Amino acid sequence: MRARIAGFSAAALLLAACTEGGVAPKVSDWTDAPSREVPPVSPTDVLGEEDVAARPPAAEVPVVGEPMPAPLTGHAEVVETGSRGLSDVSQVDVDLTLTGVRGKGTVEVEFVSPTGHPYERRTSVVVGKPEVPRTLRFSLPVAGTTVATSAMSGTWQVRFLFDGAPLTTAAFTLEP
């Protein structure tokens, strides 16, 4: 067994000392490469065979010195109506204020019952400019619905998504 280990060690040592053409290979990293300018190639037209009209529009690149546009943010707030009893509330309104909307997007709202199960989901398309805040109102009907007839009292969650990505949440409580 010792002879076998010694043989493997000797072979490894011999291979480590190998050279090609009498010159030991040089170990280098990427900083040793000479610097030269290479023109960028369009990622959609590597072979140069694509029609210019078929190319996607160029991404917006901020000009040097200009501030970056604000990221998309959302703030949800339950509109207070005073009473929160199931027999007194006709609906619960939730306002979603969006800032930083660029162009067109889809807002989804999901009302989650106190048991943790999704109760109702709706979508709305929003069009906006990054510098102009947008406010959307979503309402959950209570009077005359399953919420009231099944006595679905407790704390409800409201989840908002923008183009499928989680945005913000809110909560409200309906008392028995």
Side-chain angles (χ1 to χ4, degrees):
M1 184 66 153
R2 282 187 184 172
R4 213 179 257 175
I5 292 174
F8 283 127
S9 296
L13 184 60
L14 202 68
L15 285 174
C18 283
T19 62
E20 263 185 50
V23 179
K26 180 182 176 199
V27 177
S28 65
D29 64 347
W30 64 274
T31 58
D32 292 341
S35 65
R36 59 187 168 127
E37 293 293 320
V38 178
V41 178
S42 171
T44 59
D45 190 14
V46 177
L47 300 177
E49 299 170 353
E50 192 174 297
D51 183 15
V52 175
R55 293 182 186 171
E60 291 182 29
V61 178
V63 177
V64 177
E66 287 186 15
M68 292 290 291
L72 175 71
T73 59
H75 174 72
E77 187 173 341
V78 177
V79 179
E80 290 298 324
T81 59
S83 175
R84 287 286 177 209
L86 281 173
S87 59
D88 301 329
V89 176
S90 62
Q91 69 185 27
V92 176
D93 296 322
V94 182
D95 286 347
L96 173 68
T97 303
L98 297 168
T99 55
V101 176
R102 289 174 189 77
K104 182 178 175 181
T106 302
V107 174
E108 292 179 68
V109 61
E110 182 177 53
F111 290 93
V112 181
S113 72
T115 60
H117 300 305
Y119 176 75
E120 188 170 293
R121 177 176 254 185
R122 284 186 240 129
T123 61
S124 180
V125 175
V126 63
V127 179
K129 295 180 181 178
E131 62 276 359
V132 180
R134 296 288 316 254
T135 300
L136 306 170
R137 178 166 283 183
F138 295 93
S139 299
L140 175 70
V142 176
T145 67
T146 308
V147 175
T149 59
S150 297
M152 298 174 80
S153 61
T155 302
W156 287 70
Q157 297 293 317
V158 187
R159 299 179 188 149
F160 291 95
L161 297 100
F162 188 84
D163 286 341
L167 182 63
T168 189
T169 60
F172 62 89
T173 301
L174 293 175
E175 298 171 4

